[in-house]
Amino acid sequence: MNPPVDNAVPLRQSLRVRVGLLVCGAVLVVAGGFVGLGFGPLAERIAASHFATATTRLQAELDLAFSPANRLLEMADAWLARTPPAIDDPAAFNHLFEPVLRALPKATSVVAGDNEGRGWMLLELPDGGWRNRLTDRARWGERQRFLERDAAGHSREYWQELDYDPRRRDWYRAAQAGDGIRWTAPYILFTTGDPGITAARRISLDDGRQLVLGIDLMLRDLSATTMQARVGEHGLALVLTEDLRVLALPAAAATVPAQAWLAKVLKPAGELGLPALDRALAEWRERPFDNVRRVAGEDGDWFVRIVDYRLGDQTLHLVTLAPCADFAPDWLSAGGIAAAGLLAMLALAALVVRQQARRVARPLEELAAASSRIGQLDFTPPSLVRSSISEIRQLAAAHDGMRRLLQQNHAQITAQADELRQQIAALRQAEEKVRDSEAYNKLLFSDSRIPLVVLDPERGCFIDCNQAAADIYRYGDRHKVIGLRPADVSAPYQSDGRASPAAIDEKIRSALACGSLVFEWRHRRPDGERWEAEVHLMAFHHGPRQLLQFSLQDITDRKKAAQALEHLALYDPLTELPNRALFLDRLQQAQGLATRNEGKVAVLFLDLDRFKEVNDTQGHEVGDAVLREVARRFRHVLRQNELLARLGGDEFAVVAPTVEHAGAAYIADRLAHALDAPIAAAGHVFSLGVSIGIAVHPNDGGTPDELLRNADIAMYRAKGGAQRYMFYDPGMSSGLAERIALARDLKAALQDGDGQLALAFQPQFDLACNRLVGAEALLRWQHPQQGAISPGVFIPIAEERGMMPLLSTWVIDAACRQLQAWQAAGLAFPGRLSINIAAQQVEDATFPKQAGERIAQHGLTPARFELELTESGMMRNIDLAIELANQLSAAGFSLAIDDFGTGYSSLAYLKRLPADKLKIDQSFVRDMLVDRNDHAIVATVIAMGRTLGLRTIAEGIESAEQAAALLELGCQEGQGYLLGRPVSATVFAERWLR
């Protein structure tokens, strides 16, 4: 039945309204579901991930603060085990650890202590200076010795009473509790009075002592790391102890004074006044967690993460918290994007509805028009026909039949259209999800500050990267990176020596097999610059393809810092040569290889001749320049496989693998001839020599220490003889070890100026009137361990080692200083001061000039001195001795022939010498009253002096009878225990100069 005409609605309008409402409703439902169920949780996960990254950064920064201290303590074990620090001279201790404190800005000081109560401390002062505190409980009790040196090099020393014993300190007890690196609990540092922690290590010394070495870190320096940490815009980072006290502070509020905030270190966390922290710790105490948690706060929700951090035996807690709003996405921008997408979907839905309505309505409209043309037929429901004309009714019936037929067809079409629309809507929904996921992942990839690169392993080239990767590769534009191969950005060879292409293939295979790989890689930039990176390589699937993605972290500076520390530990900073530690390591390797191959290894021990004169006359800066030139010359004459090292001072060593005696002799000749030409430095020219001892593995030693010691013994023999080098022979070792040790101690005493050597003064008198006419300067040695050592012991050793010129030079300088001191005190010294001259100096053509120059440097003249030359020493080369004696006499020196009568000089030679005095040896004076021969010799010497116009002086006068007999024979002067024993300068002045 036809509906009423008044209620009829056009078919096209009906279709548009109904289908449009259906499609729009579906779009709104789908969009709302995506926003409510997908976008919100996704934003939450993104915010939590960004917040968790802050904790990871804090862990990395703490590793950078603690790890260097651990590595340096392990290295210090090798430094100090064989060469423990000296309590009286911290120079070696400072030399080791001043670079350490400069390299570690968070390290405050270095402390050490042994089981006998000795302690060392090195502290860098705020003005760039240094302070040492030295403790020796056995010797000094509670008195502490302090040495300070400011940035300008000015030093001062003072003592202070302190109740300090290193064995009672927390760091010492912590190291004694176990092996390896031990970290203390937080405590108040004795050095600065600030809270801190200490990394300590126990070291077993070669002499049986236990030494504990520690590096102090102040908590305020650790707080600087957490206070500067970036956790969102308003977030905080801090470190707590196991009992939830504050180890490292978070950033303070702007209204809180810095000092008041720093005073909260080691206070309970609740005293910080941070409500969000208090609520987070309360939840954590109930159930510990290490993932990101959301905690309700007064001003909104906060993200919180508490992670355990192991430091030695302690467990610290790294706490990060920040308002969730700091990590919330930009909802305005996100809402705008979502609204734009929704409007686009609605517009698309309207277009679809309009097209479908047109498809359905147009055929009916055409049919209606056609029906109207052929008989007023209309395929839409017609209006109610009120007519009694049967043709019209028949037409209406026919139209209605046609309408029903069309309705059936229209119903089928509508059903098919609905199904098609559902399929299209599902397809579009799936496409939108894929596009959203790809856009999100692409946003994370492209905007990340971490350099990321995608590699196609089949093609072997980069197929994608972000801008951070283009920047680190220095290509600027990321499209220039795409298409490159890994070899294009790699150095030709990697650190293990492998060619980069082969290493690349191996890394790709490993990553594909294991899924991920982390390794270090050496790169090369377009300008040729080399740089190191840590690569995190990960395999993933993209559709049917398997690809590789990797991230890059530039570790060039970290590698350089590690290499610098290694170089500092193994190389001599002055000459850049390997030091003793590296030399012994290479020697051990060479010995091991020689043992396996039944080969030989030669060790050459070198000691420079006359080098101390350079330091004494020109200063250490010139001496250092000379040492660098000597090292350069030695390197120049050595072959590539011959290792040269500086052992210390003016001592060098060479290890030559696969070299026997003939080859070692050839090497020694090359080294000796390297110093034939004089060395120019700072406008001066120096002539140096070298003494070389050679030991050959395996005959001369099975260990590096044995080889080096035996080569040193051979060098000792070479220095005492006329040869430039000598091979070790077992017979050399008989009684020599003690003499070598004593010689080294004497050499150190000459170089260090630590008060071991001193002059004693024995008065000389006119026997007729008992008037003081002069004094003889005698060298005395007070060894720090062995006590006073007789000149009869160390003088022969000095003669064997060629050290007599050094001793005589030291005596001349000391005598000049003493005469100046007496003169400044207003004390008049009568006559001349007698100084003994070594036989080696009598044979040195430059000695007269050098002696005059040294005395002139002190503002004195040769007229104040009498030089005693031994009779036997002059007879070694009498012509040269006469020539040098004439030069000395012309310069103003008075000359005395010492120990006269013990040699074999002739009267003819004696007449040619410009001598002023004969000195009768005490061996004749001692028994002259009971032995006719001795009496005759004394009388003859006095008579000979009278004949030649020379004064005579007798030594060793011990009785008044001897003095009277000598005066009766005509001897003018004398010295001996009867007249005065050798005494210190102070006692001499009190007795005879005041």
Side-chain angles (χ1 to χ4, degrees):
M1 182 175 178
N2 295 331
V5 175
D6 294 339
N7 296 332
V9 178
L11 178 61
R12 181 176 297 185
Q13 181 180 353
S14 178
L15 288 175
R16 287 178 179 176
V17 171
R18 295 181 181 180
V19 176
L21 290 175
L22 178 63
V23 172
C24 290
V27 169
L28 291 175
V29 170
V30 171
F34 174 75
V35 172
L37 300 178
F39 192 75
L42 182 60
E44 178 77 12
R45 287 195 298 272
I46 293 173
S49 175
H50 283 296
F51 175 76
T53 303
T55 304
T56 304
R57 285 198 304 268
L58 180 59
Q59 287 176 303
E61 291 175 358
L62 288 178
D63 289 341
L64 290 176
F66 296 132
S67 298
N70 292 341
R71 292 196 298 270
L72 287 169
L73 287 175
E74 292 173 355
M75 294 166 61
D77 195 343
W79 296 344
L80 298 176
R82 295 186 176 89
T83 309
I87 192 63
D88 293 321
D89 184 5
F93 187 82
N94 295 347
H95 179 71
L96 284 176
F97 295 107
E98 282 182 8
V100 170
L101 291 177
R102 291 192 185 100
L104 297 177
K106 288 186 173 58
T108 304
S109 55
V110 177
V111 292
D114 64 12
N115 56 343
E116 296 180 357
R118 299 185 185 93
W120 296 260
M121 181 276 292
L122 175 63
L123 170 68
E124 184 174 11
L125 300 174
D127 62 355
W130 300 90
R131 175 184 296 160
N132 285 106
R133 184 187 66 241
L134 303 175
T135 304
D136 192 336
R137 299 291 294 189
R139 294 166 56 194
W140 304 333
E142 293 187 355
R143 296 181 69 236
Q144 311 290 322
R145 182 185 177 197
F146 287 85
L147 301 172
E148 290 189 0
R149 184 176 72 255
D150 60 21
H154 301 112
S155 303
R156 74 184 186 104
E157 177 180 354
Y158 59 93
W159 294 80
Q160 187 174 353
E161 293 279 349
L162 294 174
D163 183 15
Y164 176 82
D165 188 335
R167 296 169 294 186
R168 300 201 304 266
R169 301 304 298 164
D170 291 2
W171 51 267
Y172 189 93
R173 294 170 176 169
Q176 293 294 338
D179 296 330
I181 308 300
R182 312 287 294 186
W183 285 90
T184 67
Y187 70 105
I188 301 302
L189 299 179
F190 193 90
T191 306
T192 62
D194 293 312
I197 56 175
T198 303
R201 181 183 180 93
R202 185 180 61 202
I203 302 172
S204 297
L205 303 180
D206 290 349
D207 59 8
R209 288 183 293 149
Q210 295 289 324
L211 179 72
V212 174
L213 182 68
I215 297 179
D216 295 332
L217 286 83
M218 283 200 300
L219 296 188
R220 67 168 58 190
D221 294 332
L222 293 180
S223 294
T225 299
T226 54
M227 291 170 71
Q228 296 171 3
R230 294 284 297 172
V231 187
E233 291 295 327
H234 308 91
L236 303 172
L238 64 155
V239 182
L240 303 179
T241 61
E242 290 182 283
D243 56 356
L244 299 185
R245 290 181 297 142
V246 179
L247 189 68
L249 288 164
T255 58
V256 178
Q259 291 300 324
W261 187 248
L262 290 175
K264 295 183 181 294
V265 172
L266 292 185
K267 297 296 180 62
E271 293 188 16
L272 294 179
L274 300 175
L277 175 63
D278 297 339
R279 283 188 291 274
L281 291 178
E283 291 188 13
W284 181 78
R285 289 191 189 96
E286 293 179 1
R287 177 177 291 181
F289 57 87
D290 60 359
N291 57 338
V292 179
R293 286 288 185 89
R294 180 186 288 266
V295 176
E298 297 176 356
D299 52 352
D301 290 350
W302 287 64
F303 281 132
V304 176
R305 189 179 185 191
I306 303 177
V307 179
D308 290 345
Y309 184 88
R310 295 291 298 175
L311 183 63
D313 296 334
Q314 307 174 60
T315 300
L316 306 180
H317 305 300
L318 275 61
V319 182
T320 49
L321 63 162
C324 297
D326 287 359
F327 298 91
D330 186 354
W331 291 110
L332 182 61
S333 299
I337 294 173
L342 181 60
L343 291 175
M345 294 176 63
L346 291 174
L348 182 62
L351 180 61
V352 171
V353 169
R354 182 177 180 182
Q355 290 177 348
Q356 294 300 322
R358 182 181 299 172
R359 290 176 59 189
V360 174
R362 181 173 293 176
L364 295 175
E365 292 173 348
E366 292 176 353
L367 181 59
S371 299
S372 177
R373 287 193 300 270
I374 64 175
Q376 299 299 318
L377 296 176
D378 189 356
F379 297 111
T380 60
S383 302
L384 180 61
V385 178
R386 297 182 180 275
S387 176
S388 59
I389 301 173
S390 59
E391 290 82 357
I392 296 176
R393 293 192 180 113
Q394 290 175 358
L395 182 59
H399 180 272
D400 187 59
M402 293 175 63
R403 181 184 62 78
R404 286 194 299 268
L405 180 61
L406 290 175
Q407 282 181 339
Q408 293 177 0
N409 294 335
H410 181 267
Q412 293 178 357
I413 293 173
T414 301
Q416 293 175 358
D418 290 340
E419 183 179 359
L420 181 60
R421 280 194 298 271
Q422 292 176 359
Q423 293 176 354
I424 291 174
L427 179 59
R428 292 187 182 280
Q429 183 179 359
E431 289 177 349
E432 289 297 329
K433 289 182 179 179
V434 170
R435 280 197 297 270
D436 288 344
S437 177
E438 290 179 350
Y440 171 70
N441 291 330
K442 192 65 176 179
L443 182 64
L444 288 181
F445 181 85
S446 60
D447 291 350
S448 174
R449 295 183 179 180
I450 300 175
L452 300 173
V453 183
V454 178
L455 170 67
D456 187 342
E458 293 183 359
R459 295 166 54 192
C461 65
F462 303 149
I463 61 173
D464 199 3
C465 73
N466 61 4
Q467 186 59 41
D471 292 340
I472 200 171
Y473 282 138
R474 301 282 174 82
Y475 276 95
D477 187 354
R478 54 184 292 272
H479 295 93
K480 294 181 180 180
V481 178
I482 297 173
L484 295 178
R485 296 180 177 274
D488 297 333
V489 296
S490 301
Y493 296 92
Q494 294 304 307
S495 57
D496 58 1
R498 289 190 300 170
S500 291
I504 290 169
D505 293 340
E506 188 271 332
K507 298 296 184 186
I508 290 177
R509 288 194 300 270
S510 298
L512 292 174
C514 302
S516 63
L517 196 64
V518 179
F519 55 90
E520 293 181 0
W521 194 257
R522 184 173 293 171
H523 290 77
R524 180 181 62 187
R525 293 191 169 103
D527 59 0
E529 179 188 356
R530 305 291 179 89
W531 61 285
E532 302 277 348
E534 184 176 88
V535 180
H536 291 249
L537 186 60
M538 180 185 69
F540 71 97
H541 287 278
H542 183 70
R545 303 166 63 191
Q546 187 172 24
L547 303 177
L548 293 171
Q549 176 177 293
F550 62 88
S551 63
L552 300 167
Q553 182 182 3
D554 192 338
I555 60 171
T556 305
D557 292 340
R558 187 176 75 191
K559 297 279 285 187
K560 288 181 179 178
Q563 292 169 359
L565 288 174
E566 181 180 3
H567 190 276
L568 185 64
L570 298 178
Y571 288 86
D572 172 45
L574 176 64
T575 61
E576 294 298 325
L577 293 176
N579 61 13
R580 178 182 290 269
L582 183 56
F583 176 81
L584 291 175
D585 178 72
R586 295 294 187 269
L587 176 56
Q588 186 175 23
Q589 296 178 18
Q591 282 187 282
L593 182 62
T595 300
R596 291 192 296 273
N597 298 333
E598 298 183 355
K600 303 280 189 180
V601 176
V603 172
L604 292 82
F605 194 104
L606 294 78
D607 186 90
L608 299 182
D609 300 331
R610 300 182 296 279
F611 174 73
K612 185 177 185 299
E613 298 175 9
V614 178
N615 271 344
D616 290 344
T617 58
Q618 305 302 327
H620 288 283
E621 290 187 4
V622 177
D624 291 346
V626 171
L627 284 176
R628 285 191 290 268
E629 174 61 17
V630 169
R632 186 194 66 78
R633 293 190 184 186
F634 284 166
R635 277 197 300 258
H636 181 70
V637 301
L638 291 175
R639 293 175 294 190
Q640 186 174 3
N641 65 333
E642 296 165 356
L643 176 68
L644 172 68
R646 183 187 178 210
L647 303 182
D650 59 352
E651 295 177 344
F652 297 82
V654 175
V655 56
T658 66
V659 170
E660 300 188 7
H661 287 72
Y666 177 63
I667 295 173
D669 281 331
R670 282 188 278 138
L671 292 168
H673 287 304
L675 299 184
D676 286 347
I679 295 175
H684 301 275
V685 177
F686 307 98
S687 177
L688 301 182
V690 62
S691 299
I692 304 174
I694 307 172
V696 180
H697 169 87
N699 299 333
D700 299 334
T703 66
D705 290 334
E706 290 178 356
L707 270 181
L708 193 62
R709 182 178 64 251
N710 292 338
D712 187 12
I713 292 173
M715 183 277 294
Y716 177 87
R717 292 296 191 186
K719 187 174 284 287
Q723 296 175 278
R724 285 185 169 184
Y725 65 87
M726 291 188 69
F727 285 92
Y728 172 75
D729 182 87
M732 294 179 177
S733 299
S734 177
L736 194 58
E738 296 79 4
R739 296 172 68 83
I740 288 179
L742 204 59
R744 290 194 179 281
D745 291 346
L746 180 57
K747 185 175 182 180
L750 284 168
Q751 294 175 342
D752 295 344
D754 54 0
Q756 295 185 40
L757 299 178
L759 290 182
F761 299 88
Q762 187 171 29
Q764 298 174 337
F765 288 90
D766 187 317
L767 295 178
C769 61
N770 199 29
R771 177 175 54 86
L772 182 70
V773 295
E776 180 178 4
L778 301 171
L779 182 61
R780 295 293 183 261
W781 183 15
Q782 185 70 23
H783 194 281
Q785 284 81 36
Q786 302 181 31
I789 298 179
S790 170
V793 174
F794 70 81
I795 292 297
I797 293 176
E799 291 174 343
E800 292 177 1
R801 296 284 289 192
M803 297 168 59
M804 287 304 298
L806 299 179
L807 281 180
S808 296
T809 301
W810 190 94
V811 171
I812 290 174
D813 287 338
C816 289
R817 289 193 296 269
Q818 188 56 59
L819 285 179
Q820 283 182 313
W822 283 335
Q823 183 175 335
L827 302 177
F829 180 81
R832 297 175 183 254
L833 183 61
S834 298
I835 297 176
N836 292 283
I837 302 302
Q840 290 94 330
Q841 287 181 296
V842 177
E843 299 172 347
D844 184 359
T846 64
F847 172 68
K849 180 180 179 182
Q850 292 179 356
E853 290 177 349
R854 298 192 77 85
I855 291 174
Q857 289 175 0
H858 292 278
L860 301 175
T861 64
R864 303 291 301 275
F865 296 93
E866 180 178 84
L867 304 183
E868 296 187 3
L869 294 80
T870 62
E871 180 185 11
S872 58
M874 292 188 298
M875 293 306 298
R876 292 166 56 168
N877 189 340
I878 187 62
D879 292 328
L880 179 59
I882 292 173
E883 179 181 350
L884 296 185
N886 283 320
Q887 295 179 22
L888 291 170
S889 179
F893 290 102
S894 175
L895 302 180
I897 302 177
D898 194 11
D899 301 336
F900 190 77
T902 61
Y904 301 94
S905 59
S906 67
L907 184 59
Y909 287 130
L910 187 59
K911 290 171 60 179
R912 294 171 56 192
L913 283 169
D916 300 288
K917 188 182 296 184
L918 295 179
K919 194 167 190 178
I920 305 172
D921 187 68
Q922 63 179 345
S923 62
F924 302 126
V925 176
R926 183 185 306 113
D927 298 325
M928 63 174 290
L929 300 180
V930 297
D931 189 313
R932 292 182 179 180
N933 292 328
D934 288 345
H935 188 277
I937 291 173
V938 171
T940 302
V941 171
I942 295 173
M944 185 182 299
R946 187 184 307 112
T947 301
L948 296 175
L950 305 178
R951 295 181 64 82
T952 54
I953 180 172
E955 62 179 357
I957 301 176
E958 299 181 353
S959 67
E961 291 79 6
Q962 291 174 338
L966 289 167
L967 180 61
E968 184 179 354
L969 290 173
C971 181
Q972 294 97 341
E973 300 174 6
Q975 68 183 85
Y977 285 178
L978 173 66
L979 305 174
R981 293 174 177 268
V983 293
S984 67
T986 302
V987 176
F988 185 89
E990 289 291 337
R991 290 183 181 177
W992 293 295
L993 299 184
R994 295 188 185 277

